[in-house]
Amino acid sequence: MLNLSEKKIVVTGGAGFLGRQVVDQLLKAGANSDKITIPRSHEYDLRVLENCQKLADQQDIIIHLAAHVGGIGLNREKPAELFYDNLMMGTQLIHSAYLSGVEKFVCVGTICAYPKFTPVPFKEDDLWDGYPEETNAPYGIAKKALLVQLQSYRQQYGFDGIYLLPVNLYGPQDNFNPRSSHVIPALIRKVYEAQEKGEKSLAVWGDGSPTREFLYSTDAARGIVMATQFYNESEPVNLGTNYEISIKDLVELICELMEFEGEIIWETDQPNGQPRRCLDTTRAQEKFGFVALMSFRDGLKNTIDWYRQNPQ
């Protein structure tokens, strides 16, 4: 087990939705708050090599969460930015960490790296069996390249880097911006605004048939910290719940929890995204004992309650 109490730890994206939870879980696992660095993008643009070098200097652990990321809308609007920004941030930070003698690098990848048609549940060994879903591909491939980098640096240099694949995250303090949010916060905001305006219908992209799996942010953060402490191998590891739900059922559940009784209008001219998503979570449980604890219904209720208190 990696003792965190005296380690100097950098958490990129540490002020973000997942990052705040990761920092909290690090503290619960014994890390010293005075030794945790949370770089902000206006101070450390990680697309610039010199910033990565400065950040990695004299650090023991780097947990790389920072990403330029969003939902289908952003993926369609800015594929070039998503590819370039995520590739450059990650690859330069990994190289800088290696040169600086960082003890451990934890890279948080993306479920978007999986092939469009992956047998369900997704197993880590299936990661290279096809091309990602087209709207996700620039982001997914950029992040997947970091797995190759970490594996090759381990092989050649003995550099201890691990790679985690969390499924879609959700929870309080998520990004509810309609231009860049993922499906759960986008739907919660849509229903909330429909209720505020007294509308009797709700338009939703696609036809409702795709399935997704969702991981509560606190569970994801706990899994990341457990992997930091207990996992030291080159193979990627899924973080999820192994619970699959269709978009249609998700919309109906959110409407039920928010007491919205209007008509759902499916915009079938808009993209569905990947047909199915559900992870095999065996490796995480076997390698470092991670099991998600939050039930999906309770997690959704917590997220809805938070947004109602903090509408944006």
Side-chain angles (χ1 to χ4, degrees), residues 45-47 64 66-68 78-91 142:
D45 182 342
L46 298 180
R47 296 170 298 182
H64 180 44
H68 187 175
K78 297 185 175 180
E81 287 182 32
L82 291 171
F83 180 83
Y84 180 84
D85 291 354
N86 288 291
L87 182 66
M88 297 309 292
M89 284 193 292
T91 197

Side-chain angles (χ1 to χ4, degrees), residues 114-251:
Y114 273 101
K116 180 175 182 177
F117 299 104
T118 305
V120 175
F122 295 7
K123 293 182 171 62
E124 293 91 345
D125 293 342
D126 298 330
L127 199 55
W128 297 99
D129 288 350
Y131 195 76
E133 195 278 324
E134 291 78 5
T135 55
N136 294 325
Y139 172 64
I141 290 172
K143 295 291 269 186
K144 188 154 63 167
L146 305 181
L147 168 62
V148 178
Q149 184 178 5
L150 288 172
Q151 289 176 328
S152 58
Y153 277 45
R154 181 184 290 271
Q155 180 182 344
Q156 184 171 345
Y157 305 133
F159 182 64
D160 185 8
I162 65 171
Y163 189 90
L164 306 174
L165 288 156
V167 77
N168 299 50
L169 303 180
Y170 74 105
Q173 301 180 316
D174 202 343
N175 169 26
F176 288 83
N177 182 330
R179 288 181 60 82
S180 58
S181 58
H182 286 102
V183 61
I184 285 179
L187 287 170
I188 290 172
R189 178 169 177 155
K190 269 193 170 188
V191 173
Y192 178 87
E193 290 180 348
Q195 289 175 315
E196 289 293 294
K197 296 172 185 174
E199 294 174 351
K200 302 300 182 185
S201 64
L202 188 76
V204 182
W205 277 16
D207 61 14
S209 66
T211 65
R212 292 292 180 266
E213 174 183 345
F214 299 96
L215 180 62
Y216 195 65
S217 56
T218 306
D219 277 334
R222 189 169 48 82
I224 290 165
V225 173
M226 290 173 73
T228 302
Q229 292 182 283
F230 298 105
Y231 187 64
N232 299 296
E233 299 177 31
S234 62
E235 295 304 311
V237 184
N238 289 333
L239 294 179
T241 62
N242 197 231
Y243 173 72
E244 184 179 16
I245 184 171
S246 72
I247 297 298
K248 179 178 182 294
D249 289 344
L250 171 65
V251 172

